[in-house]
Amino acid sequence: MADPDSRAGLAYFDPAILDWTARVHAGHDAPLDRAFDAPGRHGMPAIQLGPSEAKLVEILLTLVGARKAVEIGTLAGYSAIRIARALAEGGHLWSIESDPRHAAVAQENLSIAALLRRVTVVEGAGLDVLPSLEKHGPFDAVFIDADKANYDAYGRWAARNLRKGGLLLGDNAFLFGRLLEKSSEAAAMRRFHEEAALLFDTVCIPTPDGLLLGVKR
Ligand code: DHB
Ligand code: MG
C-alpha cells in the first residue's frame, strides 16, 4: 500500500510471491510443517491460517508480552503452536475446538511440538466453554477463528475478559467477501467490528480475508 490501484483493492501478491515471502520470513520447522499439513492428511478442511498470518499472530502476541491466551477454533493446532511459542515464561493457551476428531489431531501435533504442558485443548462449542475459562483470566490475548455467526458474542466475551492493553484478533473479518451482505452471519460480523471499535483501538489488517486487531482500552 498504496497507490491508486492498490488503494482500490488490487493485490500485488500472487501465489509465487506469497510463497517466497512466507519462506523467507515465516519459515517452518518440522512441527509447524506437520501441523500445517495435517488437515490434508486427516481429511479435515484446510482452513488454517496462512504461514505469514500465523507468524504475524505470533509476533503480535510477543509484542504485547502475552502470558495467558485463548483461541477459539483449534483445528489441527497450527496457529496454537505459533501462539504457544509466543507466550512468556509460565504462559498458557486454552484453545477451544468443537470437533473431537480435530481436537485429537491437534493434541498429537502439540505433543510433537513439545507444547502439551503450555496448551489445553478444550473440547466443546465456544459459547459453552468460554464461561468455564473465566476463572483463569484476565487474559492477554484472544484469537477468534471459528463459528463466524457468533463473532459478536466472542468479541464481547473478549472485551470482558482481556486486561487493559490486551490483544483481540479475529480471522476472516471480511467474512469471505460477504461482510456487507444482508444475512444474520454478516450482521454478526459487522457488530463484531463495530463493538470492538468502541472498546478497543482497532484496525482491520487487509490480509486476504481480513484480520481484525484490537488493543483493549
Ligand atoms: C473457514 C473458516 C476459517 O476460519 C477460515 O480461515 C477459512 C474458512 C470456513 O469455515 O470455511
Ligand atoms: Mg480463519
Side-chain angles (χ1 to χ4, degrees):
M1 295 270 183
D3 59 43
D5 286 342
S6 64
R7 272 185 222 288
L10 177 81
Y12 290 122
F13 56 78
D14 61 20
I17 289 176
L18 274 183
D19 185 58
W20 187 88
T21 51
R23 274 190 286 113
V24 170
H25 300 290
H28 280 177
D29 56 11
L32 280 171
D33 257 344
R34 186 188 167 89
F36 188 82
D37 294 338
R41 283 199 313 276
H42 292 273
M44 298 160 61
I47 55 175
Q48 68 276 38
L49 287 183
S52 296
E53 294 159 298
K55 179 73 178 291
L56 174 63
V57 168
E58 178 176 334
I59 290 177
L60 289 168
L61 265 87
T62 305
L63 285 174
V64 300
R67 208 173 68 75
K68 291 191 284 184
V70 172
E71 175 179 54
I72 301 166
T74 316
L75 197 66
Y78 174 64
S79 47
I81 293 175
R82 284 292 197 191
I83 291 169
R85 287 179 175 178
L87 299 176
E89 190 60 34
H92 204 83
L93 166 66
W94 290 266
S95 184
I96 303 170
E97 175 54 51
S98 65
D99 187 323
R101 291 162 302 167
H102 297 179
V105 172
Q107 290 280 7
E108 190 185 308
N109 289 324
L110 290 162
S111 169
I112 284 158
L115 287 168
L116 278 186
R117 280 190 326 137
R118 283 191 147 221
V119 183
T120 304
V121 178
V122 189
E123 272 183 49
L127 291 177
D128 296 337
V129 166
L130 284 171
S132 72
L133 299 185
E134 288 176 14
K135 60 178 181 282
H136 301 295
F139 299 96
D140 306 297
V142 173
F143 175 47
I144 307 170
D145 193 19
D147 190 13
K148 313 305 169 191
N150 283 311
Y151 264 43
D152 55 345
Y154 296 140
R156 279 177 220 128
W157 186 89
R160 290 196 305 276
N161 289 280
L162 278 167
R163 63 150 162 100
K164 185 174 174 348
L167 181 69
L168 170 66
L169 294 170
D171 190 37
N172 310 105
F174 297 150
L175 194 58
F176 317 104
R178 304 197 300 266
L179 181 62
L180 305 184
E181 286 183 1
K182 219 171 131 186
S183 69
S184 61
E185 194 183 40
M189 186 63 86
R190 290 195 298 273
R191 277 195 300 278
F192 170 62
H193 281 262
E194 290 164 351
E195 294 175 9
L198 295 174
L199 299 169
F200 295 76
D201 292 326
T202 51
V203 64
C204 189
I205 303 173
T207 59
D209 199 23
L211 181 68
L212 188 136
L213 180 160
V215 177
K216 195 175 162 194
R217 290 199 197 101

